[in-house]
């Protein structure tokens, strides 16, 4: 026995159909995993490249005046260095002669920072966003955790996929046990037999992985196009797939090698894989009481091979737990989005600031994204309409008189009112104007201004040059003693109501100040709410036609203070979401927080991601189902001698099918109980994390559990019923067959 490879190929050809199905199964599992990893790493690298393109530095040195850093710049870890202006967020000041450097090994940024600060005593800051994609810096830990979670999810997919070939090799070993016994009798050693088994598994595994990678990359490329991800070949996904699959196969080979090793040649020739078993008397089980003798037989047969029973339950339970966990998160986010969506106005995305009499209009616009970025967003196919925002903050000329109009109910019952109360009673603004002693004035073009007719409470929209239209209610959060550790986003939105902040009435006047000029304006109309629900600086808002806005502020049509975008759908694509997120991140990275940037549509970021995860979980369930079907059908084939014996003593085909089907039902019930408990156990820490990160409260998915149970019953019963129906009725032939 010298040519192990030829013998392995011979056995694989003998079971040609199963071999092909196994290779296809491995190709499917490895292909899915390769697609997921390729997309993840491509997006990871693309994001890192984009961040570097926006700010090509890793560390910025902030030396004190006359501090010499020449020795530091000559260090081996420094790759490039250049001088420039830098805004230090922590000190809220500009550093004129900051030094931007890049290092040779970005994966050692933390160590380099330590050297810079401790050895040379130079103050330095990391480019935190870029550093996080090298798993460094303050936010690098978050990226590291996300990466580990993603690899763990990938490992679960791989384990389920590897289960296909694990089962096939075990079944091949049991079916060929006679051949192995004969080989042992003619002198084959245990190591030689293990070598044959290893080659069989390795051939199927490598062919499946190769097929999965070849098919997976074009799929990843096409999916990447739809997700606006530039997909390029990466060696890491291939290595990860190879290591996980081949690594798990080693344990499969070892397990089957032990099976061949522990069986004597005589037992192997007889077709016995477990030697002589002692019959253990059992009392009637609960399944026997429910289903009768068939239920008792089914339960006892499962317990006679606990190892196989536990493997079946584990496979199903993992799939059910994954399905329930992801379905719960998805449902929770969808519910959150549905309840939050109405809280936003007609335009879902805003990038705006408010003009004021202390800054130039250029300074006001400086905190906004640049024109190129805004144009890119505006021209996106998911944006239905774009309009300019004209908003300004005007101070109350008599702040003491202005404060008297905030109602007592507003001060006591809302969080916003409590802010007003604290500012008024605090030492800093007790005798001077506070940040809330002002009115936000919003200007509208004629067409959009007339839409407020449906919001008009009293008065008119047709105001003169001294008239304004007061917004009666503000978006306020009720102070209902919410527990910070228990409330979620839906509770928060539910407690956000339209609330009257002031007692101003039609005909009242407000004296406002712009620069050195003071002017009194009459409230000639009152509308219920600001239809755009802009998050303005002032709790008191008013709307006016654009012509009045320009007269009040002295600004011109070109002096818009932002833009607003109306989306075609609440569920925006990943590419659009990425653009919005990048704009927000970059705006904060430009050393200032735009006062009014927000987007209700960004809630769909998590939902979009979960949709892809849910799709992959469904695919995993399909792969797992194929594994169950393959295993069950093969096990039934190996038990044909047992079935023939039952037929010979008078058990009808119908009764036989019922007994075997009950085995599947019992397995499914146990698997669902374990899977639901496991899923709930996984959800507990996830629920706390979701509450902290997204303010989403997770609940146990009863509907998901029912769907999981029904699908698992259909898969298991189908995998039993179809092979049983096709099984030969030749009792004599089956009695002579080698059994399990």
């Amino acid at each position: 026995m010298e040519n192990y490879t030829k013998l392995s190929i011979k056995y694989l050809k003998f079971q040609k159909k199963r071999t092909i199905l196994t290779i296809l199964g491995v190709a499917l599992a490895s292909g899915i995993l390769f697609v997921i990893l390729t997309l993840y790493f491509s997006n990871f690298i693309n994001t890192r490249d984009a961040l570097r393109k926006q700010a090509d530095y890793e560390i910025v040195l902030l030396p004190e005046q006359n501090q010499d850093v020449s020795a530091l710049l000559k260090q081996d870890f420094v790759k490039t260095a250049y001088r420039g202006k830098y805004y230090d967020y922590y000190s809220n000041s500009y550093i004129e002669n900051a030094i931007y450097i890049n290092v040779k090994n970005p994966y050692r940024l933390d160590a380099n920072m330590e050297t810079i600060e401790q050895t040379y005593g130079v103050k330095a800051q990391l480019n935190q966003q870029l550093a996080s994609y090298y798993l460094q810096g303050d936010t690098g830990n978050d990226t590291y955790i996300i990466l580990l979670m993603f690899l763990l999810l990938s490992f679960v997919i791989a384990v389920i996929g590897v289960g296909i070939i694990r089962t096939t090799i075990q079944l091949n070993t049991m079916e060929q046990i006679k051949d192995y016994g004969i080989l042992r009798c003619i002198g084959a050693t245990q190591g030689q037999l293990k070598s044959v088994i290893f080659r069989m598994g390795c051939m199927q595994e490598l062919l499946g992985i190769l097929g999965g990678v070849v098919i997976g990359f074009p799929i990843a490329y096409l999916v990447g196009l739809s997700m606006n991800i530039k997909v390029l070949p990466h060696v890491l996904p291939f290595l990860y797939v190879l290591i996980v699959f081949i690594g798990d196969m080693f344990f499969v080979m070892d397990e089957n090698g032990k099976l061949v090793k522990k069986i004597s040649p005589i037992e192997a020739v007889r077709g016995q894989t477990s030697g002589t078993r002692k019959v253990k008397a059992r009392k009637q089980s609960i399944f026997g009481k429910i289903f009768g003798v068939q239920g008792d037989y089914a339960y006892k047969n499962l317990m006679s091979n606990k190892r196989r029973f536990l493997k079946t339950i584990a496979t199903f339970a993992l799939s059910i737990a994954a399905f329930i966990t992801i379905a719960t998160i998805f449902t929770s986010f969808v519910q959150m989005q549905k309840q939050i969506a109405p809280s936003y106005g007609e335009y879902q995305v805003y990038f705006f600031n408010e003009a004021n009499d202390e800054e130039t209009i250029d300074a006001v616009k400086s905190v906004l994204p640049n024109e190129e970025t805004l144009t890119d967003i505006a021209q996106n196919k998911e944006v239905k309409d774009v309009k300019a925002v004209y908003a300004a903050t005007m101070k109350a000329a008599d702040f003491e008189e202005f404060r008297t109009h905030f109602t007592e109910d507003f001060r006591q019952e809302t969080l916003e009112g409590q802010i007003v109360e604290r500012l008024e009673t605090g030492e800093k603004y007790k005798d001077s104007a506070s940040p809330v002693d002002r009115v936000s004035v919003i200007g509208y073009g004629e067409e959009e201004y007339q839409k407020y007719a449906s919001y008009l409470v009293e008065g008119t929209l047709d105001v003169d040059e001294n008239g304004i239209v007061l917004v009666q209610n503000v978006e306020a959060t009720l102070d209902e003693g919410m527990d910070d550790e228990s409330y979620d986003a839906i509770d928060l939105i539910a407690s956000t109501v339209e609330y009257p902040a002031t007692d101003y009435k039609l005909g009242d006047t407000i004296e406002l100040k712009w620069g050195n000029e003071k002017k009194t304006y009459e409230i000639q109309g009152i509308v219920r709410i600001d239809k755009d629900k802009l998050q303005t600086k002032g709790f008191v808002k008013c709307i006016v036609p654009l012509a009045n806005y320009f007269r009040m502020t002295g600004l011109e049509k070109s002096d818009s203070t932002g833009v607003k975008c109306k989306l075609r759908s609440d569920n925006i694509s990943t590419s659009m979401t990425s653009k919005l997120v990048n704009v927000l991140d970059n705006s904060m990275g430009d050393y200032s927080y735009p006062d009014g940037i927000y987007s209700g549509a960004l809630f769909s970021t998590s939902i979009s991601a979960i949709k892809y995860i849910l799709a992959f979980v469904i695919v995993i369930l399909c792969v797992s189902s194929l594994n169950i079907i393959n295993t069950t059908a093969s096990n039934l084939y190996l038990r044909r001698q047992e079935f023939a014996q039952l037929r010979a003593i008078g058990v009808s085909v119908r009764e036989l099918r019922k007994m075997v089907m009950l085995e599947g039902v019992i397995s499914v019930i146990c698997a669902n109980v374990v899977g639901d408990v496991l899923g709930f156990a996984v959800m507990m820490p996830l629920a706390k994390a979701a509450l902290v990160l997204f303010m989403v409260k997770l609940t146990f998915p009863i509907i998901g559990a029912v769907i999981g149970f029904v699908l698992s019953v259909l898969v298991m019963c189908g995998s039993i019923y179809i092979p049983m129906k096709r099984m030969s009725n030749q009792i004599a032939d089956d009695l002579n067959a080698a059994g399990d």
Side-chain angles (χ1 to χ4, degrees):
M1 183 174 171
E2 297 178 355
N3 199 324
Y4 308 118
T5 303
K6 284 186 178 180
L7 186 59
S8 301
I9 293 174
K10 178 183 176 182
Y11 284 140
L12 291 176
K13 286 183 177 179
F14 181 73
Q15 294 288 348
K16 185 183 296 184
K17 186 176 181 180
R18 182 182 295 162
T19 300
I20 293 174
L21 289 175
T22 301
I23 292 174
L24 290 176
V26 174
L28 178 61
S30 61
I32 292 171
L33 181 58
F34 183 77
V35 169
I36 296 173
L37 291 171
T38 300
L39 289 172
Y40 177 81
F41 282 109
S42 294
N43 184 63
F44 190 93
I45 293 173
N46 289 345
T47 304
R48 189 170 69 187
D49 291 343
L51 290 173
R52 186 173 287 282
K53 184 178 180 181
Q54 294 165 4
D56 188 14
Y57 74 94
E58 290 148 3
I59 300 175
V60 57
L61 306 180
L62 309 175
E64 297 179 359
Q65 192 172 11
N66 300 324
Q67 186 175 15
D68 186 14
V69 294
S70 57
L72 169 59
L73 297 179
K74 294 178 182 179
Q75 286 295 307
D76 292 338
F77 64 79
V78 177
K79 182 179 179 181
T80 60
Y82 62 92
R83 290 187 179 272
K85 188 177 181 180
Y86 178 76
Y87 184 87
D88 184 8
Y89 172 76
Y90 298 102
S91 64
N92 194 29
S93 62
Y94 282 98
I95 307 297
E96 294 294 338
N97 293 314
I99 301 174
Y100 296 85
I101 67 172
N102 285 307
V103 300
K104 294 178 181 178
N105 184 0
Y107 293 96
R108 288 184 50 81
L109 283 173
D110 288 340
N112 294 335
M113 281 284 291
E114 185 177 351
T115 301
I116 291 171
E117 293 180 340
Q118 294 185 3
T119 304
Y120 294 93
V122 179
K123 184 181 177 182
Q125 292 181 15
L126 281 178
N127 181 346
Q128 291 289 353
Q129 282 187 298
L130 183 59
S132 68
Y133 282 86
Y134 290 101
L135 309 181
Q136 303 288 299
D138 295 338
T139 58
N141 291 331
D142 296 337
T143 308
Y144 185 67
I145 292 171
I146 293 171
L147 177 62
L148 286 180
M149 291 178 63
F150 189 84
L151 293 178
L152 180 61
L153 175 64
S154 303
F155 181 75
V156 172
I157 298 173
V159 168
I160 295 175
V162 171
I164 297 174
I165 194 167
R166 175 191 293 269
T167 302
T168 303
I169 294 173
Q170 288 175 340
L171 292 172
N172 283 340
T173 302
M174 289 186 290
E175 287 183 352
Q176 294 157 6
I177 201 70
K178 272 189 176 182
D179 291 343
Y180 295 142
I182 294 171
L183 291 172
R184 290 282 302 280
C185 289
I186 62 175
T189 64
Q190 295 172 353
Q192 289 173 330
L193 294 181
K194 287 179 67 175
S195 180
V196 172
I197 296 172
F198 179 83
R199 279 170 168 75
M200 290 174 59
C202 197
M203 288 177 190
Q204 295 175 91
E205 192 103 342
L206 290 176
L207 286 173
I209 292 174
L210 182 62
V213 171
V214 170
I215 297 172
F217 183 76
I219 294 175
Y221 184 81
L222 294 175
V223 174
L225 288 177
S226 66
M227 298 172 63
N228 198 28
I229 297 175
K230 183 181 179 182
V231 175
L232 294 173
H234 300 288
V235 69
L236 287 178
F238 177 74
L239 288 177
Y240 188 83
V241 171
L242 192 65
I243 291 171
V244 171
F245 274 75
I246 297 297
D248 191 79
M249 190 187 69
F250 171 80
F251 296 102
V252 177
M253 298 303 107
D254 186 62
E255 185 178 338
N256 284 275
K258 289 179 181 178
L259 176 64
V260 175
K261 182 179 179 180
K262 73 179 182 179
I263 299 174
S264 68
I266 296 175
E267 288 176 334
V269 171
R270 289 176 179 174
Q272 296 176 340
T273 59
S274 55
T276 304
R277 292 182 297 182
K278 293 182 180 181
V279 178
K280 186 178 180 181
R282 298 178 186 271
K283 295 180 180 180
Q284 187 179 28
S285 67
I286 186 173
F287 297 103
K289 294 177 181 178
I290 298 174
F291 300 110
V293 66
Q294 291 92 347
D296 225 7
Y297 172 83
Y299 176 73
K300 290 177 180 178
N301 191 61
L302 289 172
M303 291 300 100
S304 66
N305 195 334
K306 290 184 179 180
R307 189 175 183 181
R308 181 185 299 165
F309 176 64
L310 293 175
K311 282 184 179 180
T312 303
I313 288 180
T315 303
F316 255 127
L318 283 174
S319 303
I320 292 168
F323 175 76
I324 288 177
T325 301
I326 301 301
T328 301
I329 298 173
F330 176 75
T331 304
S332 301
F333 271 93
V334 169
Q335 184 182 9
M336 180 189 71
Q337 187 188 39
K338 286 182 179 179
Q339 297 209 22
I340 286 177
S343 68
Y344 294 92
E346 180 182 1
Y347 292 76
Q348 299 92 345
V349 182
Y350 297 84
F351 302 97
F352 81 100
N353 196 2
E354 293 181 62
N356 57 78
D357 59 358
E358 296 177 353
E359 295 180 293
T360 64
I361 193 65
D362 290 334
V364 170
K365 291 182 177 181
S366 66
V367 300
L368 299 175
N370 59 50
E371 185 176 349
E372 182 182 353
T373 301
L374 293 177
T375 302
D376 183 40
I377 293 174
Q379 293 177 347
N380 192 287
K381 61 182 180 181
E382 295 182 65
V383 176
K384 185 178 181 180
D385 186 28
V386 180
K387 279 188 169 59
V389 174
Y390 293 90
T393 298
M394 301 186 72
K395 297 176 183 177
D398 186 349
F399 68 87
E400 293 180 340
E401 190 275 337
F402 182 77
R403 291 175 179 178
T404 62
H405 288 281
F406 285 108
T407 66
E408 191 63 26
D409 287 343
F410 177 71
R411 294 171 183 269
Q412 300 300 324
E413 296 181 6
T414 69
L415 299 181
E416 289 76 7
Q418 291 174 16
I419 293 173
V420 173
E421 185 73 16
R422 284 197 299 270
L423 289 173
E424 289 182 5
T425 56
E427 291 297 326
K428 185 175 182 180
Y429 298 110
K430 188 175 182 180
D431 299 318
S432 60
S434 73
V436 297
D437 297 328
R438 52 190 171 185
V439 176
S440 290
V441 182
I442 307 169
Y444 288 98
E446 181 63 25
E447 181 181 352
E448 195 172 9
Y449 182 70
Q450 291 303 322
K451 290 182 180 180
Y452 273 100
S454 59
Y455 296 86
L456 190 64
V457 176
E458 57 181 327
T460 180
L461 294 177
D462 187 17
V463 297
D464 58 34
E465 63 180 22
N466 297 317
I468 58 174
V469 177
L470 180 74
V471 177
Q472 184 181 55
N473 298 317
V474 298
E475 290 283 307
T477 304
L478 295 177
D479 180 20
E480 297 177 338
M482 293 183 296
D483 184 357
D484 291 340
E485 295 184 358
S486 63
Y487 76 89
D488 60 8
I490 294 174
D491 293 333
L492 188 63
I493 294 301
S495 63
T496 302
V497 297
E498 297 177 10
Y499 204 100
T502 65
D503 59 5
Y504 280 113
K505 295 180 177 59
L506 191 68
D508 287 351
T509 59
I510 303 177
E511 187 178 16
L512 300 177
K513 180 181 178 183
W514 185 266
N516 296 322
E517 296 183 9
K518 298 179 182 179
K519 188 171 182 179
T520 301
Y521 297 94
E522 180 186 0
I523 299 174
Q524 298 178 358
I526 298 178
V527 292
R528 180 177 58 84
I529 194 73
D530 162 26
K531 72 179 184 65
D532 289 334
K533 299 184 178 180
L534 295 175
Q535 295 181 342
T536 55
K537 295 177 180 178
F539 290 143
V540 179
K541 299 182 190 178
C542 69
I543 62 169
V544 292
L546 267 183
N548 285 27
Y549 174 84
F550 296 145
R551 276 194 294 267
M552 294 170 72
T553 61
L555 301 175
E556 300 177 352
K557 188 174 182 179
S558 60
D559 297 329
S560 62
T561 58
V563 296
K564 54 186 179 181
C565 305
K566 182 190 294 185
L567 304 178
R568 297 185 183 276
S569 170
D570 288 335
N571 294 320
I572 59 179
S573 67
T574 304
S575 60
M576 182 62 174
T577 301
S578 298
K579 286 183 179 180
L580 294 176
V581 171
N582 285 335
V583 169
L584 295 177
D585 289 343
N586 293 337
S587 296
M588 289 185 285
D590 286 337
Y591 325 121
S592 59
Y593 288 85
D595 300 283
I597 290 184
Y598 76 101
S599 170
L602 289 181
F603 279 107
S604 64
T605 307
S606 302
I607 296 178
S608 299
I610 294 170
K611 280 182 180 178
Y612 290 108
I613 296 175
L614 185 61
F616 284 127
V617 168
I618 292 173
V619 174
I620 293 171
L621 291 175
C622 294
V623 174
S624 181
S625 299
L626 291 174
N627 187 19
I628 293 294
I629 293 170
N630 181 30
T631 304
T632 305
S634 301
N635 286 337
L636 292 176
Y637 175 77
L638 292 175
R639 293 172 60 190
R640 62 190 187 278
Q641 186 184 55
E642 173 194 341
F643 298 150
Q645 291 171 349
L646 292 172
R647 292 285 309 283
I649 62 175
V651 177
S652 67
V653 174
R654 185 175 182 180
E655 289 175 326
L656 182 60
R657 286 177 183 169
K658 182 180 178 181
M659 287 189 292
V660 180
M661 291 282 280
L662 284 174
E663 292 181 23
V665 171
I666 293 170
S667 299
V668 165
I669 291 173
C670 295
N672 273 273
V673 171
V674 175
D676 291 345
V677 171
L678 182 61
F680 189 74
V682 171
M683 282 167 51
M684 293 300 288
L686 284 179
K688 190 168 184 179
L691 192 63
V692 173
L693 296 175
F694 306 107
M695 293 190 299
V696 179
K697 186 180 293 180
L698 303 184
T699 55
F700 185 79
I702 298 176
I703 296 178
V706 172
I707 293 175
F709 178 78
V710 172
L711 291 177
S712 57
V713 169
L714 291 176
V715 170
M716 179 59 81
C717 292
S719 65
I720 292 174
Y721 179 78
I722 295 175
M724 288 292 293
K725 189 175 181 180
R726 294 178 178 177
M727 197 166 287
S728 171
N729 290 320
Q730 302 297 322
I731 298 177
D733 293 341
D734 288 346
L735 283 172
N736 293 323
D740 182 0

